[in-house]
């Protein structure tokens, strides 16, 4: 019997024993090492996704770990292999899949939301979801591969090119990762963030950051771009004010990439879209190539994952960690240590 963190109802989590079935055909059993808590996990914790999440539900999809057992018919994997998981299971039959867009399958099973996730000591998943990790990459840093893959996909969807001027509105974990990936693509980047703590961290990573509460961001962009406006803006804040800033800073034929999940409709200045021939692009999840690029970016240090980890807690303390994340501004990324060693240390 192993332990798992379970969502029971709004603002209620527990850590409880969980049975582990042997891997079936095409499956592998993993020992998760580190699991990141992300914004979607917080939405679940708040009860905002009860129509989709069937309690009790094991959470977690940003992870790293090792293979424990392989099921019948699985080739290329063996116990001890370091892996992360691309947590998507699609049907391959819907119109989106038939067009080659399996990552936004119309009947997508997002593992960790629609089915049991990684915040447990043993986890069985389809072998097809595994992404190999370099043996030299520490597993705590590797837990940030999944959100880095989100950033890689976002930058690709926005078509960021070398020399372009990019504004990222929202300097949380995904916003900072987008800024780092866009910078690696050769763009000039500015980050807009309210939190002083997050502005400080972004600055320590060599990013230029503006405080929208104290500065006129639109005017700063005009000065920075010689009145031209930004080529690309990423809306990562999830706030109405963030949408307004992202639209306002764009120059002629600029691209707005919508990354944040907005739980309710927002007012958008459509006249600005007409007047400047702007483009709005949605970006959701990732594909395998995004994951593989993310592994490389983290492994080579282009994405300094260790700098984004605010705290690591044992699995038994995960419920309390969700509460700590609610304040948002003073932390970046909290990892849950799911190893047996962490459990023993906490007892």
């Amino acid at each position: 019997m192993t332990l798992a963190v379970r969502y029971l109802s709004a603002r209620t989590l527990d850590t409880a024993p969980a049975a582990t079935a042997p891997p079936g055909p095409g499956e592998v059993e993993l020992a998760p090492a580190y699991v990141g808590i992300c914004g979607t996990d917080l939405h679940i914790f708040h009860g905002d996704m009860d129509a989709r999440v069937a309690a009790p539900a094991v959470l977690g999809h940003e992870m790293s770990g090792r293979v424990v057992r392989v099921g019948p018919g699985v080739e290329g994997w063996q116990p001890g292999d370091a892996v992360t998981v691309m947590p998507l299971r699609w049907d391959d039959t819907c119109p989106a899949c038939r067009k080659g867009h399996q990552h936004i399958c119309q009947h997508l099973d997002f593992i960790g939301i629609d089915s049991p996730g990684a915040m447990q000591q043993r986890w069985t998943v389809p072998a097809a979801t595994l992404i190999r990790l370099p043996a030299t990459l520490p597993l705590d840093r590797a837990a940030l591969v999944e959100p880095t893959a989100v950033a890689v996909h976002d930058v690709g969807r926005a078509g960021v090119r070398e020399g372009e001027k990019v504004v990222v509105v929202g300097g949380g974990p995904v916003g900072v990762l987008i800024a780092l990936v866009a910078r690696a693509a050769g763009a000039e980047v500015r980050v807009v963030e309210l939190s002083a703590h997050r502005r400080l961290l972004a600055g320590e990573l060599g990013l230029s950051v503006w405080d929208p509460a104290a500065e006129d961001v639109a005017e700063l962009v005009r000065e920075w771009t010689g009145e031209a406006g930004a080529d690309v803006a990423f809306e990562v804040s999830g706030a109405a004010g963030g949408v307004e800033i992202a639209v306002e800073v764009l120059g002629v034929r600029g691209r707005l990439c919508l990354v944040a999940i907005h739980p309710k409709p927002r007012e958008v200045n459509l006249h600005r879209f007409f007047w400047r021939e702007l483009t709005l692009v949605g970006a959701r999840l990732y594909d395998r190539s995004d994951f593989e690029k993310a592994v490389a970016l983290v492994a080579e240090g282009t994405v300094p994952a260790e700098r984004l980890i605010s705290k690591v807690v044992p699995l038994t303390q995960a419920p309390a960690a969700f509460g700590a994340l609610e304040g948002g501004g003073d932390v970046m990324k909290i990892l849950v240590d799911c190893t047996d060693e962490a459990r023993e240390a906490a007892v």
Side-chain angles (χ1 to χ4, degrees):
M1 194 72 73
T2 63
L3 288 179
V5 176
R6 306 184 307 167
Y7 169 76
L8 303 179
S9 61
R11 307 186 67 81
T12 304
L13 303 174
D14 73 0
T15 305
T20 303
E27 295 181 332
V28 295
E29 181 184 336
L30 305 179
Y34 297 94
V35 180
I37 303 173
C38 84
T40 302
D41 297 321
L42 283 178
H43 283 305
I44 296 172
F45 175 63
H46 293 150
D48 297 337
M49 299 178 67
D50 282 358
R52 179 175 173 185
V53 176
V58 180
L59 305 183
H61 56 271
E62 302 179 359
M63 65 80 63
S64 63
R66 295 190 182 277
V67 174
V68 175
R69 291 188 288 178
V70 300
V74 174
E75 298 180 354
W77 299 102
Q78 60 185 4
D81 285 345
V83 299
T84 186
V85 167
M86 186 174 74
L88 309 179
R89 186 188 287 116
W90 49 80
D91 65 10
D92 250 344
T93 62
C94 74
C97 286
R98 294 200 303 270
K99 290 182 178 180
H101 308 309
Q102 287 89 345
H103 71 290
I104 47 175
C105 170
Q106 290 165 229
H107 307 107
L108 186 68
D109 172 6
F110 191 108
I111 305 172
I113 299 176
D114 305 306
S115 57
M119 212 169 286
Q120 53 184 318
Q121 293 177 313
R122 293 294 183 270
W123 188 35
T124 298
V125 296
T129 66
L130 298 186
I131 305 288
R132 192 176 301 276
L133 297 174
T136 55
L137 178 59
L139 290 180
D140 57 347
R141 301 180 190 183
L144 272 78
V145 165
E146 193 272 353
T148 302
V150 170
V152 170
H153 186 75
D154 297 341
V155 170
R157 282 285 291 154
V160 173
R161 296 183 290 271
E162 184 174 0
E164 289 193 314
K165 290 182 166 57
V166 171
V167 176
V168 179
V169 183
V174 172
V176 168
L177 288 169
I178 289 171
L180 293 170
V181 173
R183 185 174 68 180
E188 297 180 46
V189 183
R190 300 293 186 270
V191 178
V192 179
E193 172 56 43
L194 283 168
S195 162
H197 176 81
R198 289 178 168 179
R199 289 199 307 273
L200 177 62
L201 176 58
E204 291 174 348
L205 297 175
L207 297 167
S208 296
V209 192
W210 292 327
D211 177 2
E215 301 171 286
D216 184 336
V217 173
E219 180 59 31
L220 290 171
V221 170
R222 283 191 288 271
E223 294 174 2
W224 174 43
T225 64
E227 304 293 332
D231 300 293
V232 180
F234 291 91
E235 204 309 281
V236 201
S237 72
V243 174
E244 183 178 349
I245 290 172
V247 173
E248 189 176 8
V249 299
L250 287 170
V252 170
R253 291 206 168 181
R255 289 105 65 198
L256 171 58
C257 185
L258 182 61
V259 177
I261 298 174
H262 288 260
K264 59 183 180 181
R266 301 294 190 191
E267 288 190 7
V268 179
N269 185 353
L270 292 180
H271 183 268
R272 191 82 166 189
F273 274 79
F274 156 75
W275 199 251
R276 294 200 167 187
E277 290 197 348
L278 304 181
T279 298
L280 172 62
V281 177
R284 177 185 170 202
L285 300 175
Y286 29 61
D287 58 26
R288 180 166 287 269
S289 65
D290 297 322
F291 249 86
E292 291 169 347
K293 184 173 181 179
V295 170
L297 290 171
V298 173
E300 71 193 18
T302 300
V303 170
E306 70 282 1
R307 302 289 302 278
L308 302 179
I309 300 170
S310 303
K311 184 187 299 185
V312 179
V313 301
L315 187 144
T316 52
Q317 295 179 19
F322 276 76
L325 271 171
E326 287 188 284
D330 292 336
V331 294
M332 189 63 77
K333 179 63 65 177
I334 294 179
L335 301 185
V336 176
D337 185 342
C338 296
T339 62
D340 293 335
E341 290 82 359
R343 174 187 176 186
E344 292 166 3
V347 172

